[in-house]
Amino acid sequence: MKCKICKAEAIVALRSHNAAFCPQCYKEFFSRQVARGIESQKLFTRDERVLVALSGGKDSLALMLELSLQGYNVTGLHIDLAIPVSSAAARGVVERFCAKHDLKLMVKEMAAEGLPIPAVKDRLNRPVCSACGKIKRHFFNKVALDEGFDALATGHNLDDEVARLFSNTLRWDTAYLSDQGPGLDSEHGFSRKVKPLWRLSEFETANYAFLMGIENHYAPCPYSPGASFTVLKGLMQNLEAAMPGRKLDFYQGFLARGRPVFARREAEEGVQLAPCTLCGYPTSSGESCGVCRIRAALLNEG
Ligand code: AMP
Ligand code: FES
Ligand code: ZN
């Protein structure tokens, strides 16, 4: 198998792009896809400051490295959830990665915020994952706004996005369908949110991370029953195997022709948001936001 670009020995074949690449040309392919993803959706510019949420997983680390190599002004943000074993391992991976590549990093500790995830878990009668996700998003947004960043970037890839889109479509969740996508403008006290890896699959990102020597964080969260959207991702993999390129087509078609329709509808209905009375974060509940309610519940208990 020969590299499509330079005819050297190829190490990876991509059916969706009908191409095989050698290591160097693969890295260039990856960079082009990230650049196209940013430019076509006008996610951010080189004059803006981007806060990149780093979990310790390969996607967000690959994203951070690639953005810095492309000359973007990036700072990492790691949320230390205070989960025994796994949080220390994840934080260690992120800290070593940023030190190795000389990248700026901020760490926000949930224990110091009165929100260690094990305590949140003990308090809830349901799986902690959705509360944990809510807490993480709350602090992504808070740090981005407090520190004056122009955008908050996450490592979500094409498989994450397509699985989420499929899930939202199966439920015809028009509110979620109206603002799902690689870029969400800042509004109502929310920072701009961007997903620059939206054109790249999990496999393509993993391959880049491997070629760039990115250390992987293997410790899975002890509380999550498995990766999210496992069933839907499996269905999409089967579709992609039978019809290479369909995943990206489906997603791009949604952005071009689906999302605008849902967005118009949602704008007509208009959900009212007001600042949380305790922290100022936008909430639809009228008083304090979900995170402040969790924090208050833990305080009352303690
Ligand atoms: P996940 O929902 O775990 O697949 O994570 C999706 C994205 O959220 C990752 O690619 C990161 O950008 C971000 N993220 C998840 N967990 C953390 C964390 N503990 N600290 C910072 N960013 C995170
Ligand atoms: Fe949040 Fe597992 S990482 S519950
Ligand atoms: Zn609040």
Side-chain angles (χ1 to χ4, degrees):
M1 201 170 53
K2 298 273 177 264
C3 172
K4 176 183 171 181
I5 312 286
C6 74
K7 312 297 176 216
E9 191 61 29
I11 45 105
V12 57
L14 301 179
R15 285 182 66 205
S16 55
H17 293 268
N18 200 15
F21 297 104
C22 71
Q24 187 53 35
C25 292
Y26 183 80
K27 288 180 197 168
E28 288 165 19
F29 157 82
F30 187 90
S31 301
R32 275 196 309 278
Q33 293 297 322
V34 174
R36 267 178 82 178
I38 295 170
E39 286 156 22
S40 68
Q41 296 289 317
K42 298 190 171 55
L43 297 185
F44 45 83
T45 66
R46 286 183 176 74
D47 298 327
E48 294 183 302
R49 292 173 65 229
V50 181
L51 185 65
V52 184
L54 301 177
S55 60
K58 59 184 168 17
D59 299 282
S60 50
L61 297 183
L63 170 63
M64 179 78 173
L65 184 56
E66 181 56 31
L67 292 181
S68 73
L69 292 174
Q70 291 195 23
Y72 286 101
N73 184 347
V74 282
T75 300
L77 168 66
H78 177 68
I79 307 284
D80 185 332
L81 301 167
I83 300 172
V85 186
S86 77
S87 287
R91 180 173 174 166
V93 170
V94 171
E95 286 176 339
R96 283 192 295 280
F97 168 85
C98 288
K100 176 176 168 187
H101 298 284
D102 202 16
L103 297 164
K104 290 171 275 186
L105 172 66
M106 300 169 69
V107 176
K108 198 88 185 158
E109 295 179 351
M110 291 304 97
E113 295 290 334
L115 290 163
I117 298 302
V120 176
K121 178 182 181 293
D122 289 346
R123 174 73 211 205
L124 295 176
N125 304 318
R126 53 195 158 85
V128 71
C129 297
S130 83
C132 173
K134 190 182 274 187
I135 290 170
K136 282 191 274 197
R137 287 191 297 276
H138 179 96
F139 284 97
F140 293 167
N141 195 59
K142 182 168 168 43
V143 174
L145 291 180
D146 288 356
E147 306 292 328
F149 285 92
D150 297 291
L152 180 275
T154 50
H156 292 99
N157 57 41
L158 179 63
D159 293 296
D160 298 322
E161 283 297 280
V162 169
R164 178 178 301 276
L165 173 57
F166 195 29
S167 163
N168 289 338
T169 305
L170 285 175
R171 288 178 288 109
W172 291 115
D173 190 321
T174 53
Y176 281 138
L177 286 166
S178 73
D179 65 6
Q180 195 197 329
L184 190 58
D185 283 339
S186 67
E187 53 166 7
H188 313 303
F190 288 111
S191 164
R192 186 193 322 162
K193 296 194 196 82
V194 295
K195 301 168 183 168
L197 296 184
W198 68 272
R199 298 182 58 85
L200 291 142
S201 71
E202 218 152 277
F203 171 76
E204 289 163 353
T205 306
N207 209 50
Y208 174 82
F210 173 75
L211 290 174
M212 298 302 278
I214 290 175
E215 178 191 355
N216 215 333
H217 160 227
Y218 287 109
C221 170
Y223 302 147
S224 57
S228 47
F229 301 127
T230 315
V231 174
L232 297 183
K233 280 186 177 173
L235 285 173
M236 287 292 160
Q237 276 332 101
N238 290 344
L239 175 72
E240 184 71 16
M243 304 165 112
R246 253 308 150 89
K247 261 184 335 201
L248 187 55
D249 279 354
F250 175 55
Y251 190 65
Q252 283 186 297
F254 165 72
L255 294 180
R257 295 184 296 282
R259 184 164 86 157
V261 177
F262 292 110
R264 265 199 304 279
R265 203 195 108 114
E266 210 58 23
E268 282 160 16
E269 301 202 339
V271 181
Q272 291 304 315
L273 291 178
C276 164
T277 48
L278 296 173
C279 75
Y281 190 81
T283 170
S284 56
S285 74
E287 290 188 1
S288 55
C289 73
V291 171
C292 283
R293 286 200 302 272
I294 296 173
R295 195 187 331 235
L298 292 184
L299 266 178
N300 288 341
E301 203 170 62

